[in-house]
Amino acid sequence: MAVFVKAVDLGSFAAAAAALDLSGPMVGKHIRFLEERLGVRLINRTTRRQSLTDFGRAYYERCRVILAETEALDALAADQLSEPRGKLRVTMPVHFGRHCVMPVLLELARQYPALELELSFNDRLIDFAEDGHDLAIRTGTLGDRAGLIARRVARQPMIVCASPAYLESHGRPETVEDLAQHKAVVYRRSGPVPPWLFLRQGQSPFVVMPLNRFRLDDLDAIADATISGTGLAWLPYWLVRERIAAGMLVRLLPDQPPFLYDCHAVWLQTPHLPLKVRVAVDALAAALPKFMS
């Protein structure tokens, strides 16, 4: 099959022979063997030119797929005998990346000394082919994923919190319906302000659009503004866990199941996923859930 595909790709038996380090007659022998085994002619040959038969064209396309899969399997077997190496370029959201993703990848790099890391912290959408990244970490709903593969690696619990000073002045909401009557500091980067979502048993999430005078595009800044008593905030638990433990913030509605914001690892669809990417995704899927609770 490999000889047949090479002869078609290069346009002649002679060119295929040179590329494969075979004799011209040997290339012809390989292709005649295929035709005899199949009982169908693959290539029409004259002294001046060669052309695929209709069946030969269909057979050629399937051979290319089979050979690509074979190469991927060979590479997969080789991976088992090697370790991740080379540059791993990863893009990730700023705060989630710094607090959660980066520690996992740094530990991975300590485990595999031949692995290099090049990390980019931003929230913009990327073009893998243009930007050259191996892996992207994205939170929330994914958009168009044509040509991409995504694997969920974590789920972020979202909780409502406020400062003791705010609660003393404005009272404490007891239900999710009460939230709409309180001031809030909300996240907004572009487009409309995203609503706060709360799980309900067997139903679609309950949606709250709180009153907001303060719209920030930085999660740490939202947490800091909330500590100052500006209003309520809906934030990932991992981000405010230490602030709550220190008494700077109070978790509200503790009996309300938190909405879980998905986090995905995304990469280009390819016949063979490079070992460095596969190991990184597996490490993130194993370690990130521990950061969430």
Side-chain angles (χ1 to χ4, degrees):
M1 285 184 185
V3 172
F4 167 63
V5 167
K6 185 65 70 173
V8 174
D9 287 343
L10 298 183
S12 73
F13 286 13
L20 297 171
D21 197 21
L22 297 172
S23 68
M26 184 57 72
V27 170
K29 186 175 181 180
H30 276 292
I31 292 174
R32 281 194 302 276
F33 170 80
L34 272 181
E35 290 178 330
E36 289 170 3
R37 188 172 67 84
L38 295 168
V40 180
R41 181 175 289 276
L42 298 173
I43 297 178
N44 292 317
R45 298 179 288 277
T46 67
T47 55
R48 293 188 175 184
R49 63 188 295 271
Q50 67 179 42
S51 61
L52 286 171
T53 64
D54 289 343
F55 178 81
R57 171 62 61 184
Y59 190 73
Y60 165 77
E61 295 296 342
R62 292 299 303 161
C63 284
R64 289 183 61 190
V65 173
I66 291 169
L67 291 171
E69 289 295 327
T70 301
E71 290 176 5
L73 288 172
D74 288 345
L76 185 63
D79 280 350
Q80 302 306 309
L81 304 175
S82 63
E83 67 175 33
R85 62 181 62 249
K87 185 185 298 182
L88 177 66
R89 298 191 63 196
V90 187
T91 177
M92 63 196 79
V94 177
H95 295 295
F96 186 74
R98 284 176 53 201
H99 291 280
C100 304
V101 177
M102 185 174 71
V104 177
L105 296 181
L106 290 177
E107 178 58 34
L108 192 69
R110 281 190 284 270
Q111 185 179 351
Y112 298 107
L115 184 65
E116 303 174 32
L117 295 180
E118 190 168 306
L119 309 182
S120 175
F121 298 88
N122 63 76
D123 296 301
R124 68 182 180 86
L125 298 177
I126 67 159
D127 183 324
F128 278 92
E130 186 175 304
D131 295 351
H133 287 94
D134 300 297
L135 188 63
I137 309 301
R138 287 293 173 258
T139 59
T141 304
L142 297 177
D144 181 18
R145 292 192 288 131
L148 300 177
I149 301 295
R151 176 181 174 185
R152 190 173 69 196
V153 290
R155 308 192 81 184
Q156 304 177 76
M158 302 293 294
I159 66 165
V160 181
C161 53
S163 70
Y166 176 89
L167 297 177
E168 185 177 342
S169 299
H170 299 87
R172 184 182 187 119
E174 300 297 336
T175 67
V176 291
E177 289 81 3
D178 293 342
L179 298 177
Q181 308 305 316
H182 282 264
K183 300 175 184 177
V185 186
V186 299
Y187 180 85
R188 179 181 181 274
R189 180 169 293 275
S190 61
V193 173
W196 296 0
L197 303 174
F198 299 89
L199 294 180
R200 294 186 298 179
Q201 187 68 35
Q203 302 180 57
S204 57
F206 185 80
V207 177
V208 174
M209 182 56 72
L211 301 171
N212 59 86
R213 288 176 53 210
F214 303 99
R215 296 169 286 278
L216 287 64
D217 69 355
D218 182 282
L219 294 179
D220 263 330
I222 292 175
D224 290 342
T226 306
I227 289 172
S228 73
T230 305
L232 311 182
W234 187 62
L235 291 167
Y237 179 62
W238 59 262
L239 182 71
V240 294
R241 181 194 300 114
E242 294 181 2
R243 294 172 170 97
I244 292 173
M248 293 184 288
L249 290 173
V250 176
R251 178 175 181 175
L252 304 176
L253 309 176
D255 296 329
Q256 169 67 40
F259 183 81
L260 301 176
Y261 231 74
D262 287 341
C263 172
H264 291 88
V266 184
W267 61 90
L268 272 177
Q269 188 172 13
T270 176
H272 171 62
L273 184 64
L275 178 63
K276 61 184 179 181
V277 177
R278 177 161 52 82
V279 168
V281 172
D282 287 345
L284 291 168
L288 283 179
K290 302 171 186 175
F291 285 81
M292 301 298 102
S293 58

